[in-house]
Amino acid sequence: MTRMHDFNQGIVDEFRANHGVVGGPFAGAPVVLLTTTGARTGRKRVNPLVGLVDDGTLYVVASKAGAPTNPDWFHNLLAHPEVGVEFGDDSFDAVAIPVTGPERDRLFAAQVAAQPGFANYEKATERAIPVVELRRV
């Protein structure tokens, strides 16, 4: 197991034990557990992410802390957009839909307003950081 896997698993365990509330680097943030299906492997993977609720819709941002490439979970949901979502005590199936253009820019700005650290991620990379709608099915 990698260190990142261990780190993520600790957050997943804490989230599930505390009704969606976690501490550490995610303290106070609206955490989402996103379950994707591996593009190549078909294996289910759970990733803790910071969510954004805008007008009743839940979004996540594929920041990867400003890395030059998108996170693996984003690649996976492009191949298999059917995802599982855990948010607070709610658990549901969703379709992951990347948001583009001016709406993506508006939502990313809203994420920065809610979680200012995302501005640093945007400055650290040349890619347009994807925003993904999690549409309940």
Side-chain angles (χ1 to χ4, degrees), residues 62-71 121-130:
S63 66
K64 199 176 176 183
T69 59
N70 289 324
Y121 302 154
E122 187 173 43
K123 289 176 191 166
T125 188
E126 293 182 15
R127 68 185 168 92
I129 296 174

Side-chain angles (χ1 to χ4, degrees), residues 50-87:
V50 174
L52 171 70
V53 177
D54 184 82
D55 197 25
T57 301
L58 182 60
Y59 299 89
V60 290
V61 176
S63 66
K64 199 176 176 183
T69 59
N70 289 324
D72 291 344
W73 64 259
F74 182 75
H75 174 73
N76 290 340
L77 69 76
L78 291 178
H80 302 286
E82 305 79 17
V83 297
V85 177
E86 294 172 65
F87 188 59

Side-chain angles (χ1 to χ4, degrees), residues 10-124:
I11 293 169
V12 169
D13 294 344
E14 184 179 3
F15 178 102
R16 289 177 174 159
N18 296 300
H19 308 282
V21 177
V22 298
F26 289 107
V31 175
V32 174
L33 298 185
L34 182 68
T35 300
T36 58
T37 302
R40 287 187 323 252
T41 66
R43 291 179 57 201
K44 299 288 185 187
R45 305 208 185 273
V46 179
N47 288 282
L49 307 168
V50 174
L52 171 70
V53 177
D54 184 82
D55 197 25
T57 301
L58 182 60
Y59 299 89
V60 290
V61 176
S63 66
K64 199 176 176 183
T69 59
N70 289 324
D72 291 344
W73 64 259
F74 182 75
H75 174 73
N76 290 340
L77 69 76
L78 291 178
H80 302 286
E82 305 79 17
V83 297
V85 177
E86 294 172 65
F87 188 59
D89 282 325
D90 198 9
S91 183
F92 59 93
D93 292 328
V95 175
I97 304 166
V99 180
T100 59
E103 183 65 359
R104 176 261 170 222
D105 297 344
R106 184 188 73 75
L107 290 164
F108 191 84
Q111 182 73 326
V112 168
Q115 303 288 326
F118 279 84
N120 296 329
Y121 302 154
E122 187 173 43
K123 289 176 191 166

